[in-house]
Amino acid sequence: MINAIEIVNKSPLLADVNITLGYRIMDSCSDVSTALKATADFTQRADCYIRSNTFGQPAMAVVGASSSEISIAIARQLSLKMIPQISYSSTATILSDKSRFPSFMRTIPNDEHQTAAMVSLLSTYGWNWVGIVTTDGNYGQSALDHFVSQASEKGICVAFKSILPQSVTSQDVCSAIMQTARTICNNPKVQVIVSFAKPTHMMYLYQELKNQTLTAGQSMKTMRRVWLASDNWSYSSFVKGNITLDDIGHILGFTFKNGDLSSFSEYLSRLEAAGHDYIRNNTFMQEFYMQLKASNDSEETELVSKAVNRLREHTYAGTIFSVEMAVSAIAQAVASICRNRDCKTPGKVQPWEVLKALWMEEFKLRKKSYKFDSRGDINLGYDVTMWRSDGGNIHVHNVVAEYHPQNNNFTRTNHSSTQQLQDLKHIISKCSSSCVPGKFKKTAEGQHTCCYECINCTANYYSNNTDMDQCLSCDTNTEWSTDGSSSCIPKAPLYFSWQDGFAVVLLTFSALGIFLALLVSALFLHRRDTPVVKAAGGPLSQVILFSLVISDISAMLFVGRPNSFQYKARQVLFGISFTLCVSCILVKTLQFLLAFQVDPEMQEILRRLYQPYLIVSICVAVQAATCVCWLVLKSPFNHVIRHPTSLLEDCHEGSYLAFGLMLGYIAVLALVCFICAFKGRKLPQQYNEAKFITFSMLLYLISWLLFVPVYVTTSGVYLSAVEMVVILISNYGILSCHFFPKCYIILLKKEHNTKSAFRKNLYEYSSKTTDSVSVSVVTNCRDGTSCTSLHRGSIKHCLRRSTSI
């Protein structure tokens, strides 16, 4: 402070107004009562001057004190006279309350920012299980309260709090320190301890920790911890006593921002060079020098060097910078007042005027501008230091990071500091191990939130981060998860896929059916003038083959991922195409009914009604109308069935009534075909289709009758395959029964595929039929006249039937 005052007295700032600053240094002796007496002394001197005009200038401002307890005490006294007080080291948050301490200011941030910086550092390294050691009093209690409040917001738990008596000479200090050391030893999981204690307390605590560790027969490594040192003792290297830093562990100190120490270093050098003569007018230095002389028998020059070296050892960069700012602020305030008025006459300037100027004016120090905020603080952040040992020496000024309160973050100063901070990441200070993804924390009732057990997330729940308080739910519509999952798994889409082995088999049969139908169609076109092809229906056979191709194509639409076109087209294509097929077969079976009609009148009526293409068109039109109404009113749609681990994409028929009507209509036509064909089963063998039609329709009806219960009771991927199989059975049944026998005759029995062979076969059939009728008539008749008449009638009937065939 003396150096700072001498510098500003020589500066142009005060020289321009022809003013210098004087000072009185009062020792508080770290005691509130002593500080209050000293404060009363110079405030009473000011009162004496006002009454008697016999003393010098009254005190216009106070710099100090260092500890918050003393600053709080004297701030109440100074606020009565509105004498500005600027502290360089008192950090208690309560002092920022301007309603209670209107004249108090400081050149450092309050403890609220220091504890926030500590909490931020703990959070950065994941240390959430810490202990606190603090000193009783305003400073310690304020720091403790703010730290606990801010730590809880970040999920950091305080394992224990040890509050030491404020006075180092108290009778309770020893027992309190012993208990604190015992608590630390009994909590091995607490590897990080935050300390707001006094330096002397920390020295005693380290010694007690060593004693208890050795008494317990444990290695000194067991007492190692990470210590977060507040500004109260972060520069006090003497606290280690006779213990090595390696035994203590890591000490991270939070210090005020450093400034340029070159001016103070030069000042100490001048003191050392000038010797005793330089301190003749400096009462503080004289007292310091006399104490050294009383305890040493050294020569004068040697004593001076010892005195200066002692000062160098106790040089705290942050404190020096804060003191220089305090003096510069007062100088700026005085200069602004004295530019336009007489300040040399005692009593012309009042303390409250200086206080007002301090609030209003910016001040400069080494070309940088500073200003007190609305709470009277100057918050420049903190330097984070890491103590390191160099042989027997401890270096406490090793700055490894800077804390910026505006952003609540740290920046590292250099590469070497980065490496030192990296080493701290291997230290774990947690009550419970971290819960890995897939687990969540479960805290027992009454325990700290940091003490928990890790429980697996249940099915369909997950946790994707460490130490999650609860598991997150999967979207069960599209996702799933097993027990202990760290993420959700998308549900696999299930459908009758093209890659499915069964689907490949069915598709092969579909493709083969199309190929065979086209091959038969080509053969029939090539031999269209032969009796076998004509007997098979001629052009109608081509229509049947075409409908079978379309039906096989519709079967293919049952494979693959369902889409809008697919699930609407497949049933309609099958329904109309197979209706077309059965309608053509129905026309052929009606020929048999017409040929075997005994009643001549009924036969004539049927002959007139027999219009093949009209009948086919009407039958197909009815089915088409049914399908159109189905698509318009309630068409099939994509239906997703949600299983625990998959999504079954299925085609919902929309209206099962319409679906049933479509299949039922075909079944009715097939039944009519079956009845008509059954009547004509005794036609000539080489050209008789009735047996084959009967068998194919019977196969169709049986397969679709079996389809209904299977379709109703089946679910899953292969539901589509069920209908596909039935369609293919129906198609192959018609292809095999209607066309393969014809192909056999055309290709391998060519001698039967001639007109002469056809007439011969028909004649033999007619003759056989005539004989059977004659026998039956003779057997049943009694008189010859009637028999002859019946005999002739029967022959005529057979001939007429043969002609029809």
Side-chain angles (χ1 to χ4, degrees), residues 128 166 168 465 521 546 568 570 608 639:
N128 64 1
Q166 184 174 352
V168 295
N465 212 335
S521 177
F546 170 75
K568 289 179 180 178
R570 63 190 192 182
R608 291 177 182 177
H639 177 53

Side-chain angles (χ1 to χ4, degrees), residues 562-600:
N563 55 60
S564 178
F565 167 78
Q566 205 171 335
Y567 52 69
K568 289 179 180 178
R570 63 190 192 182
Q571 297 289 10
V572 172
L573 275 179
F574 167 71
I576 294 176
S577 65
F578 210 79
T579 299
L580 177 61
C581 176
V582 176
S583 299
C584 292
I585 295 173
L586 177 62
V587 168
K588 293 173 68 176
T589 57
L590 287 175
Q591 290 178 345
F592 307 138
L593 184 65
L594 180 62
F596 283 89
Q597 180 55 247
V598 178
D599 187 356

Side-chain angles (χ1 to χ4, degrees), residues 17 88 91 103 176 184 188 190 234 373 398 461 466 541 545 548 617 631 638 658 677 764 782 803:
V17 294
Y88 52 85
T91 57
S103 65
I184 293 172
V190 179
S234 55
D373 61 22
N398 179 34
Y461 286 85
T466 56
S541 64
L545 289 167
L548 291 178
S617 299
L631 292 177
N638 190 21
E764 292 174 353
R782 290 182 180 180
T803 304

